[in-house]
Amino acid sequence: MDIDLDNIARAAEIIDPVFRDTPQYVDEQLCAALGRRVLVKVETTNPLRSFKGRGADFLASTLPAGQPVVCASAGNFGQAVAYAGRNHGFPVEVFVSDRAVPDKVRRMRLLGAVVHEVPGDFTGAKAVARAHAAETGAVFVEDGREPAVCEGAGTIAVELLRAGVSLDSVVVPLGDGALITGMARWLKHHSPHTRVVGVCAEGAPALAHAWAGRVWDGPVWDGPVDTIADGIAVRVPVPESVTRVRELVDDVVLVSDDAIRAAADLALRTLGLVLEPAGAAGLAGLVAHDLPGETTATVLTGSNV
């Protein structure tokens, strides 16, 4: 396993404090609506409005000073890398689909990144980004592939367990896999009874199919990606992420766009939080599925709407 426990512990101490120790609590209104006890971890109260800054900042701590960086992004990872580049002093270029959410693209540019909009979907933008990095000598960083990004995201699990609450399950959105694998790595060592459940959109089921055991031989989903949850709209999973998800994740469920909308509405009504669709996917898993366990935690992330 290439996600290192010592690195997760170190990340929990050294990543930018603006991303650490985010609110986590049990809300009685939400619990009543779901009919179960749920601990929410709120990852929207930072300058990026998502958890992505944790992994990008820890990755930045491993890069040479001034090293140009290239990445592809559906929106939030690009903002995180741009933010880390500005703080750590390296130039960033981000490649996005020309269908990306305009406000996310605008925020990347405001954070100092050079942004290239590529015709087609996110997978195409990633291919162009990888080629550009090879041509220019920049470092290509890929969300879901880099262990340091997973380790930074794993600090969320460190904070959850510090509260001393026994968690039967943790339910989180599943896109490129950095969040769930980083968290699961820590949980499987420090709270082995806790089940880790990923939530994919029905319209982007590639990683769910891969987790279920299909042999990795390239794309595992030949159909179109069609979901409102752009942050988890993965057509071609990262191979390294597939390997980790298969080893660390106990279950993966699919949710419809209607369930995602219902979860976002529930978060607004009970918690007063505005979540983007991908950020509400974990909660949607609890809305749509009768998942086992008396006490469940979920990560609410992404208010870039």
Side-chain angles (χ1 to χ4, degrees):
M1 173 52 61
D2 58 353
I3 302 175
D4 187 86
L5 290 168
D6 289 340
N7 283 347
I8 295 175
R10 187 163 66 90
E13 300 298 326
I14 71 167
I15 60 173
D16 190 331
V18 76
F19 301 120
R20 300 193 326 239
D21 299 316
T22 51
Q24 53 189 59
Y25 54 88
V26 174
D27 179 84
E28 299 305 331
Q29 291 188 92
L30 179 65
C31 294
L34 292 173
R36 62 188 303 154
R37 181 175 173 81
V38 178
L39 172 69
V40 294
K41 182 69 164 167
V42 183
E43 290 290 309
T44 63
T45 57
N46 63 62
L48 303 177
R49 308 175 190 169
S50 83
F51 74 93
K52 298 283 189 178
R54 293 176 181 256
D57 192 74
F58 189 58
L59 175 68
S61 72
T62 70
L63 297 175
Q67 170 66 58
V69 168
V70 170
C71 70
S73 177
N76 291 346
F77 185 64
Q79 293 178 61
V81 175
Y83 186 93
R86 186 182 68 179
N87 284 7
H88 290 266
F90 56 83
V92 173
E93 291 185 78
V94 184
F95 287 75
V96 302
S97 164
D98 60 359
R99 308 170 199 163
V101 176
D103 279 351
K104 294 185 179 184
V105 175
R106 178 180 59 84
R107 285 173 59 81
M108 290 180 218
R109 290 184 169 128
L110 287 173
L111 289 166
V114 174
V115 182
H116 306 275
E117 298 184 52
V118 177
D121 66 7
F122 168 67
T123 299
K126 186 184 289 188
V128 175
R130 185 180 284 108
H132 179 76
E135 291 169 2
T136 61
V139 170
F140 177 66
V141 297
E142 185 174 10
D143 195 7
R145 184 189 68 179
E146 317 297 339
V149 173
C150 305
E151 289 156 356
T155 61
I156 295 174
V158 176
E159 293 170 15
L160 279 173
L161 294 185
R162 279 177 183 164
V165 178
S166 179
L167 299 173
D168 297 306
S169 60
V170 172
V171 182
V172 297
L174 177 52
D176 279 316
L179 174 63
I180 198 167
T181 56
M183 292 184 64
R185 180 73 172 106
W186 189 262
L187 290 166
K188 291 304 174 185
H189 185 78
H190 292 279
S191 182
H193 72 279
T194 302
R195 287 177 55 81
V196 179
V197 181
V199 183
C200 292
E202 286 181 355
L207 203 44
H209 288 185
W211 172 85
R214 289 182 54 176
V215 176
W216 176 262
D217 58 359
V220 296
W221 174 242
D222 298 326
V225 170
D226 182 17
T227 176
I228 59 170
D230 63 290
I232 56 173
V234 174
R235 180 164 62 85
V236 180
V238 176
E240 292 87 346
S241 188
V242 172
T243 300
R244 298 177 193 129
V245 167
R246 284 177 173 169
E247 181 173 342
L248 293 169
V249 175
D250 297 295
D251 196 7
V252 177
V253 298
L254 298 174
V255 293
S256 67
D257 281 359
D258 284 345
I260 291 172
R261 291 187 185 96
D265 180 66
L266 180 63
L268 180 60
R269 288 188 289 108
T270 60
L271 305 174
L273 294 175
V274 176
L275 302 176
E276 65 175 278
L283 187 58
L286 294 172
V287 169
H289 295 274
D290 184 19
L291 300 175
E294 293 184 5
T295 301
T296 297
T298 191
V299 179
L300 306 177
T301 181
S303 58
N304 288 283
V305 292

